[in-house]
Every structure is written in C-alpha cells, then in structure tokens.
Amino acid sequence: MARRDFDPASVTPDGRPAGMARLFDPAKDGPWRGSLPGQTFGSGVTVLAYGTDEIGVGPRLHVHPYDETFIVVEGRARFFVGDQTLEAGQGEVVFGPAGVPHRFENLGPGRLQTIDIHHSPEWIQTDLDQVDVPPS
C-alpha cells in the first residue's frame, strides 16, 4: 500500500543542499567509532557510531539535555535508562528521554555495535560517574 501522509505541495524546501560525510572508516579493523554533528548539514540531529569487543564495556553513566535513540546494529546490550534496565539485540531500538541518566554495556558474546542518534545539532553531555584521572 502506498503511503500519503502529507501533501508534498505543503512543504517548501529551505535551500539546504544534499550532503555527505563520513561517520566512521569501514576499512579500519575493529568496532566502528565516530560522530557527525548535525551542524555539518544544518540538521537538528547528531549521529554517533559506538562499538566495543569487550564484554561488560560501554559508555559511562551520563545525561543529555535532549532525547537520544540507540539502534543496536550488532550484538546485545544492557541499557540502564533512569530506573529501567532494558536488554536489546540486533535490530532493536532503545529510547532515552532528555534529562534521564543512562549508560549501556556489551552483553556479548562478541562485538556490540550501535548507532546513537542525538536529537540535537551538537553532542552535549555531562558524565555523572567520576573516574579518577591520575595527574599528568
């Protein structure tokens, strides 16, 4: 069935050109890592690629002033979003609301690879768990 959710004549292009940029280097060995600010295209969405081969490893507990959507591309992850714990596998999507602390970890076996969509033109984050950093 064809979709017709709106009348295309009701939208006026804003003049931004199509664009392209690299999020990660697919030729490099190992998990994908990279970020692409929405500002690159004048967009309100920033995209991150996150991957790890280490079981139990993932981003530290943090919070954003905007929503974040996680797409599990490969592997399995345990997400901690506020007081909720969610397990997600390849092809599943997890939503983290603005202002709610969150983190996730690789459940294994093998690689965890996610694409993380920050609903903001730039990546803004406050880490909440402090890790001691030795003085330089």
Side-chain angles (χ1 to χ4, degrees):
M1 171 184 255
R3 293 184 60 158
R4 187 164 173 85
D5 298 333
F6 72 100
D7 177 2
S10 69
V11 178
T12 303
D14 64 10
R16 288 178 297 161
M20 187 173 84
R22 185 171 301 280
L23 176 60
F24 58 88
D25 183 352
K28 281 181 110 175
D29 285 338
W32 305 334
R33 293 279 181 104
S35 65
L36 183 63
Q39 298 153 323
T40 303
F41 301 121
S43 168
V45 175
T46 293
V47 180
L48 277 66
Y50 176 84
T52 183
D53 290 327
E54 297 181 63
I55 308 304
V57 171
R60 63 195 326 168
L61 185 67
H62 62 277
V63 66
H64 309 286
Y66 49 77
D67 296 338
E68 184 172 9
T69 302
F70 306 91
I71 304 165
V72 180
V73 176
E74 180 180 354
R76 292 196 54 76
R78 180 175 294 124
F79 288 82
F80 303 90
V81 183
D83 61 0
Q84 291 186 279
T85 302
L86 307 163
E87 289 189 10
Q90 185 175 24
E92 294 184 300
V93 176
V94 173
F95 175 69
V100 177
H102 57 275
R103 68 181 184 86
F104 60 89
E105 62 190 23
N106 183 1
L107 287 177
R111 176 170 297 162
L112 171 65
Q113 187 67 65
T114 66
I115 297 294
D116 308 337
I117 302 167
H118 291 237
H119 299 240
S120 170
E122 62 181 317
W123 181 4
I124 304 168
Q125 176 171 309
T126 296
D127 293 333
L128 299 174
D129 61 343
Q130 300 300 316
V131 175
D132 292 332
V133 178
S136 35

